[in-house]
């Protein structure tokens, strides 16, 4: 006579083999956790306080790899920035300068000019827009003595927060690329210094 254990073992083996070779989905016992209701993006969902399927991040959460700018909203003069702003963490090798040049030509040259002399295609000379800064002075030349006197941190602050007619470029230019632009501007200043009077 076949024992009860042997019948159970053969039944279990048969069930396992049947589930492995079956073309239909296997039977599920209590599938509530496995098959939760799917929600489309921005679909209404009354189970949550904001009545949407999108989950809100916890209060105070920041994106991975994001570091808030510590001088955001600084309204005092650039000379009052502690330690003249942040220090440039990027090394000035050839690849970095090339990337800085690309970003400069894309975002900065329309106003400041290809060589940083304040004569970009947007601002002048006449008969173009001939745009000046809000106080009536001509567009800032990045090769001027004033711009050369700025620290890297002060230029970074201007790109990040804006100054005068120039608005913030923080949303268009990532933080690392801002530092690369500054390195390229320093090369423009060196070039202008070498070629002055020629």
């Amino acid at each position: 006579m076949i024992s009860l254990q042997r019948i159970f073992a053969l039944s279990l083996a048969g069930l396992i083999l049947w589930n492995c070779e079956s073309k239909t989905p296997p039977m599920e016992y209590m599938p509530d956790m496995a098959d939760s209701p799917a929600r489309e993006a921005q679909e209404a969902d009354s189970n949550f306080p904001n009545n949407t399927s999108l989950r809100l991040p916890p209060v105070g959460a920041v994106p991975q790899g994001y570091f808030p700018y510590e001088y955001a909203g600084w309204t005092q003069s650039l000379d009052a920035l502690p330690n003249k702003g942040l220090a440039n963490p990027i090394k000035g090798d050839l690849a970095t300068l090339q990337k800085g040049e690309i970003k400069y030509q894309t975002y900065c040259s329309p106003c400041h000019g290809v060589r940083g002399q304040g004569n970009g295609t947007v601002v002048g000379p006449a008969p173009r827009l001939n745009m000046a800064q809000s106080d009536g002075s001509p567009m800032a030349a990045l090769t001027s003595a004033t711009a050369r006197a700025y620290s890297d941190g002060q230029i970074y602050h201007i790109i990040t927060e804006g100054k005068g007619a120039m608005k913030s470029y923080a949303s268009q230019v990532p933080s690392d690329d801002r530092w690369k632009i500054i390195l390229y501007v320093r090369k423009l200043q060196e070039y202008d210094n070498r070629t002055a009077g020629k």
Side-chain angles (χ1 to χ4, degrees):
M1 178 168 223
I2 300 176
S3 71
L4 197 57
Q5 287 179 335
R6 194 173 264 179
I7 292 173
F8 179 74
L10 289 172
S11 300
L12 183 61
L15 183 63
I16 291 171
L17 289 173
W18 178 74
N19 275 333
C20 290
E21 296 178 10
S22 174
K23 301 295 181 197
T24 61
M27 292 184 293
E28 294 180 358
Y29 177 70
M30 297 181 70
D32 297 335
M33 296 295 285
D35 298 325
S36 60
R39 299 283 184 223
E40 294 293 328
Q42 302 178 0
E43 181 181 348
D45 188 349
S46 60
N47 294 322
F48 296 98
N50 63 349
N51 292 324
T52 180
S53 60
L54 297 175
R55 303 281 58 86
L56 296 175
V59 176
V62 295
Q64 184 176 1
Y66 170 76
F67 300 99
Y69 179 53
E70 64 181 283
Y71 301 118
W74 186 268
T75 56
Q76 300 173 35
S77 73
L78 289 174
D79 292 330
L81 274 171
N83 300 320
K84 297 211 176 221
L86 304 174
N88 195 336
I90 307 288
K91 301 289 183 217
D93 60 1
L94 181 61
T96 300
L97 289 172
Q98 288 173 335
K99 179 75 179 224
E101 179 183 11
I102 291 168
K103 294 296 182 177
Y104 175 87
Q105 298 304 337
T106 302
Y107 295 103
C108 309
S109 69
C111 292
H112 294 288
V114 174
R115 291 192 182 166
Q117 297 173 340
N119 60 349
T121 56
V122 172
V123 297
R128 296 188 185 110
L129 296 178
N130 203 17
M131 180 179 149
Q133 296 192 66
S134 56
D135 62 359
S137 60
M139 186 55 61
L142 300 178
T143 55
S144 68
T146 304
R148 288 177 195 196
Y150 285 148
S151 69
D152 288 357
Q154 289 170 317
I155 297 173
Y156 181 87
H157 182 76
I158 293 170
I159 297 170
T160 304
E161 295 289 307
K163 180 178 187 287
M166 178 179 160
K167 301 303 178 197
S168 170
Y169 275 80
S171 62
Q172 293 97 329
V173 184
S175 178
D176 284 352
D177 289 345
R178 284 177 243 162
W179 290 117
K180 292 172 186 174
I181 288 171
I182 294 166
L183 290 172
Y184 180 71
V185 166
R186 294 300 187 201
K187 286 298 177 187
L188 287 178
Q189 292 170 346
E190 286 177 22
Y191 177 78
D192 186 71
N193 198 33
R194 283 196 316 265
T195 58
K198 290 186 181 179

